[in-house]
Amino acid sequence: MSMEGLRVFKFGGASVRSAEAVQNLLRVLRHEPHGPLVVVVSAMGKTTNALERLLAAYMGGLRFDEELQALRDYHYGIAQALFEGQPDHLAFVALQHLFEQIDALLAQPPAGPYDYCYDQLVPFGELLSTTIVGHYLTAHGVSNVWVDARACLRSDTSYRDAAIDFDTSKYLCQREFDLKRAKVFVTQGFIAGTAEGSSTTLGREGSDYTAAILANLLDASDVTIWKDVEGVLNADPKLFANTQRLPYISYPEAIELAYCGAQIIHPKTIKPLQNKRIPLYVRSFINPQAEGTVIEAEGRTANLPPVYVLKRNQVLISLIPRDFSFVIEDSLSRIFALLYKHRVKVNLVQSSAISFTVVVDDEPHRLPAALAELREGFEVRHNSPMEMLTIRHYTPWAVAEQVEGRTVYLQQRTRTNARFVMDQRRTD
Ligand code: ASP
Ligand code: MG
């Protein structure tokens, strides 16, 4: 079955954070030309964080009734505003059904380890949001079918970081997203399901990835991520002045940017699109007329301005072997094995004859144990808090502007990237 012309739209938490936001989503669908359409929706606003807090209290044997009530009030509040004067609307029946499932789950003691329990509870954020959005669209003339992503995206049991089985999912998706059933489908981002029927999640911010997977499996013509910014910018406007929109980015460039730490899109998103050369648009749901950014196969020459990516809360660690050996392959492999074992994320490495330096994320649950073990074989020095600035496509002017007058502890340059590790600046 061919799905020619099918488009995939992804709406993140901010785009459905309130009743007005959901009304705006409808406006976007009405104004944006589309034939068959899959609408992927995240949990509303900061719901995933709220569910994580709820889970922590539940797992810790603490009270969670207030947190649960707030979750209920928030979703009912949005639904009441959207279905004003219609207390018998089916949407409320569906919401009640979901909250009964949440109550039933929380009434039992945790049925497994943290990651497993996380994946049984946290997907309710997306189940709730898509239920409200689906009913609202139907009520306003956009008839649609609600698809349970857990039934069509099959994953393994790596809870909280589930890996998709593309072959099985392809079969299931082609069955669920059947154009004979509807022209518009509403489904959840971020979640999938195992063969045994338990829920899984794809990692925080995973809805972009869901949109890319579905586009790949259904051979969509394009994917649009609707955001509250006008496309991909060359820096985070909260941290840098005079940001610029990047009109076009190639797939490899987008992967490089995500790797540097740019929070443009979930890093796994590009591959499924690149494999089928499906373009990805990033556009503003506040200003849908604006052009946005397109991420697609190389072809055009793009004169990219310098792109600034700042990673905060970094630790600079220098290691000197205690046995006065040089830092040769043997030491390097020991160091990496150890950092990997403790799941410490390494962002930059540099070695000299007698010392080896790494810049890592400051992860309070992981780093101290890794440092303790490193001290057995190395003299360890570390500095924190540091920040690491990457300037991709750097120019002398861009470097001077950012770095002049600051103490640089470590720097590294390739033809395209310049990276500087410096004291962390206060942000007020
Ligand atoms: N709701 C999930 C999160 O907040 C997934 C997403 O928004 O992409 O991480
Ligand atoms: Mg999000």
Side-chain angles (χ1 to χ4, degrees), residues 233-251:
L233 306 179
N234 72 327
D236 181 344
K238 288 186 220 96
L239 301 171
F240 294 85
N242 307 322
T243 53
Q244 257 176 280
R245 177 177 59 91
L246 307 176
Y248 157 77
I249 307 174
S250 69
Y251 295 125

Side-chain angles (χ1 to χ4, degrees), residues 138 142-147 176-177 181-187:
T138 304
V142 183
S143 74
N144 64 89
V145 163
W146 185 90
V147 176
E176 289 292 315
F177 295 91
R181 293 173 70 202
K183 291 286 173 276
V184 178
F185 298 87
V186 173
T187 194

Side-chain angles (χ1 to χ4, degrees), residues 377-393:
F378 300 88
E379 188 188 320
V380 179
R381 293 190 198 137
H382 57 97
N383 291 65
S384 64
M386 312 287 280
E387 60 187 28
M388 181 167 76
L389 174 68
T390 302
I391 311 180
R392 200 166 155 74
H393 311 295

Side-chain angles (χ1 to χ4, degrees), residues 10 12-14 42 205 207:
K10 181 260 178 174
S42 298
E205 304 301 327
S207 297

